[in-house]
Amino acid sequence: MLIRDANDADLEAIVSIYNAAIPGRLWTADTEPVTIESRRYWFNAHQPGLPLWVVEMDDGIRAWLSFQSFYGRPAYHATAELSVYVAPSRRRTGLGRILLGRAIGEAPRLGLRTLLGFIFGHNRASLALFTACGFERWGNLPRVAELDGVERDLVIVGVRVPPA
């Protein structure tokens, strides 16, 4: 297993893993598959400032983690939102925990002091994963999303990272 910065050749696998998460209605607010072209701007925005990592295994890219700017304003420069996606065949194998652990460990080098996650309230597995990695529940936005006619809460989790 190799965790590395994503490159252009990885975008197809990243989109495939993301699209595999959409039907479950647990991990993303997108309700229809996205295209590679529609994700290119997002992909390019990660370089060089906030990384996008992939987990490469013998059988290809099986997970990814992205750091994204929080709120896009200068005062929040030391805060980032994390997103973690794991291929269906590799869920519950520890890849998410490994990626979150690395993100926390690398945060000081990236100039980050606060990491956030935005997780649907009904996504118990992701809430448990982030909690196991030291994140705490910092907020709840009740019924702000609607998935297939069902209103869903969005939970905000966060962790403070000691400076380097």
Side-chain angles (χ1 to χ4, degrees):
M1 177 181 75
L2 173 67
I3 299 174
R4 61 171 174 77
D5 289 330
N7 61 51
D8 288 338
D10 301 322
L11 184 55
E12 182 176 355
I14 290 167
V15 168
S16 177
I17 291 168
Y18 183 81
N19 282 338
I22 293 172
R25 301 297 195 252
L26 290 172
W27 299 281
T28 176
D30 279 315
T31 57
E32 298 293 328
V34 300
T35 65
I36 293 169
E37 281 309 311
S38 72
R39 297 301 282 177
R40 194 165 302 282
Y41 177 81
W42 165 85
F43 178 83
N44 290 333
H46 284 88
Q47 301 164 355
L50 296 173
L52 171 58
W53 296 329
V54 294
V55 175
E56 184 175 3
M57 304 184 91
D58 291 340
D59 58 346
I61 304 301
R62 294 294 166 240
W64 56 269
L65 178 141
S66 70
F67 290 81
Q68 295 182 173
S69 173
F70 172 71
Y71 210 56
R73 300 225 168 82
Y76 299 110
H77 71 276
T79 300
E81 175 191 349
L82 299 180
S83 295
V84 180
Y85 287 86
V86 178
S89 65
R90 300 297 176 131
R91 290 185 188 139
R92 298 196 172 281
T93 63
L95 292 180
R97 186 182 299 244
I98 290 167
L99 283 167
L100 283 175
R102 180 167 174 181
I104 293 167
E106 290 288 314
R109 182 184 66 76
L110 298 169
L112 299 171
R113 292 188 299 272
T114 304
L115 299 176
L116 301 172
F118 295 84
I119 303 168
F120 285 131
H122 65 288
N123 185 344
R124 295 179 193 273
S126 290
L127 289 169
L129 168 64
F130 276 74
T131 299
C133 291
F135 285 74
E136 298 175 332
R137 188 178 292 234
W138 285 0
N140 184 62
L141 303 174
R143 301 182 316 273
V144 296
E146 185 175 324
L147 297 168
D148 301 326
V150 178
E151 292 181 321
R152 299 294 189 171
D153 295 355
L154 184 67
V155 176
I156 301 168
V157 296
V159 66
R160 289 285 298 168
V161 179

